[in-house]
Amino acid sequence: MNTAVQDDVLAEFEPHRRELCAYAYRMLGSSFEAEDAVQDAFTRAWKSYASFEGRSSLRSWLYKITTNVCLDMLKGPQRRARPMDLAPASDAGTPLPAPEPDYMWVEPIPDSMAFGADPAAAAEAKDTLRLAFVAAVQHLPAKQRAVMLMREVLRFSAAETAEALQLSPASVNSALQRAKATMEKVNTDPAADAPAMDDADVRKLVDGYVTAFQAYDMEALTALCTQDVNLSMPPFPLWVQGPAGVAEFMLGTGSACRDSRLVPVGANGLPAFGHYKPSGEPGLWTPWSITVLELRDGAIAGLNYFLDTTRLFPLFGLPNEYRE
């Protein structure tokens, strides 16, 4: 394949990158692995493009290849999770345990990697990019995971899904029923059934969080939270629950975050920030977390602080320092 033809073929693939990346993220629970999976899928598709006979759409063919890449990546026993999937809530005064490896955790994904330019498509995709949904999907065996996402999220037909996964339509329907039963057991996040907040209410709530956090006013911050709010900080397996627990943790173990600065980003279709904490040098703040807020019933239901800033800040396009 000459260079000009190669470029033309890759240009045909490119409009599908974001939706494929979002799909791979749901499958794998990692934005980094999703990015690798799509790149691998494009390489495989380019190499076998001459055999693509147009019996399905290019989009369906790329999904088939991306699914096979993800299934190859999921052959190991490890599934990603959130701290609240692994153990009961900790006492807010508990010392921080040792961090666990990054491959254990469901990670955030930048909106820029997952959403295209179509606002309607983005709105429809949001619920299935929620951290709780992605974590619940990780409970499914790999092929059930693919079946559930193709049928319920992507709205592929049973026949299209069967063709992509080399299964019979009857096997697809059976796998879907088993996947739904598992998801009902493990996806206990009430946000899935909560009415969506309008943009003005979301802005007001997020502005309130920023004001309260930067003032380190825990009374004001916890007043914005649900009674069952969760605070987690992967890669630490510890998490705390409830407004009182959040306040105690922030004023104790988390007190180094006093006088932080927050830079808005988008993650998982949710309000998120690059969080910089004081460096000890006047006027300089250094990366501390990608913070993702989960909202429910007009309040903050989840405070997720992802501390792997060495990898995550470049992924979100954030600089390695903040100065005033």
Side-chain angles (χ1 to χ4, degrees), residues 220-267:
L221 190 149
T222 55
L224 302 172
C225 296
T226 61
Q227 287 305 301
D228 61 350
V229 62
N230 295 327
L231 180 154
S232 66
M233 296 192 314
F236 295 105
L238 171 145
W239 64 285
V240 299
Q241 188 168 48
V246 167
E248 182 182 349
F249 183 86
M250 291 289 200
L251 294 170
T253 304
S255 60
C257 286
R258 190 185 295 273
D259 193 37
S260 289
R261 296 294 183 266
L262 306 179
V263 176
V265 293

Side-chain angles (χ1 to χ4, degrees), residues 17 75 81 89 91 97 117 122-123 130 161 165 167 182 195 220 229 231 239 293 303 312 316 320-321 324:
R17 181 182 292 275
K75 284 180 178 172
D91 184 276
R130 289 180 299 109
T161 305
L165 295 172
L167 298 170
T182 301
V229 62
L231 180 154
W239 64 285
L293 304 182
L303 296 159
L312 288 172
F316 279 83
N320 199 41
E321 61 179 36
E324 284 185 353

Side-chain angles (χ1 to χ4, degrees), residues 140 144-145 148 174-184:
L140 301 176
Q144 277 187 37
R145 204 178 295 190
M148 202 276 298
S174 175
L176 179 60
Q177 292 308 311
R178 293 196 302 276
K180 283 183 173 179
T182 301
M183 289 289 286
E184 285 176 10

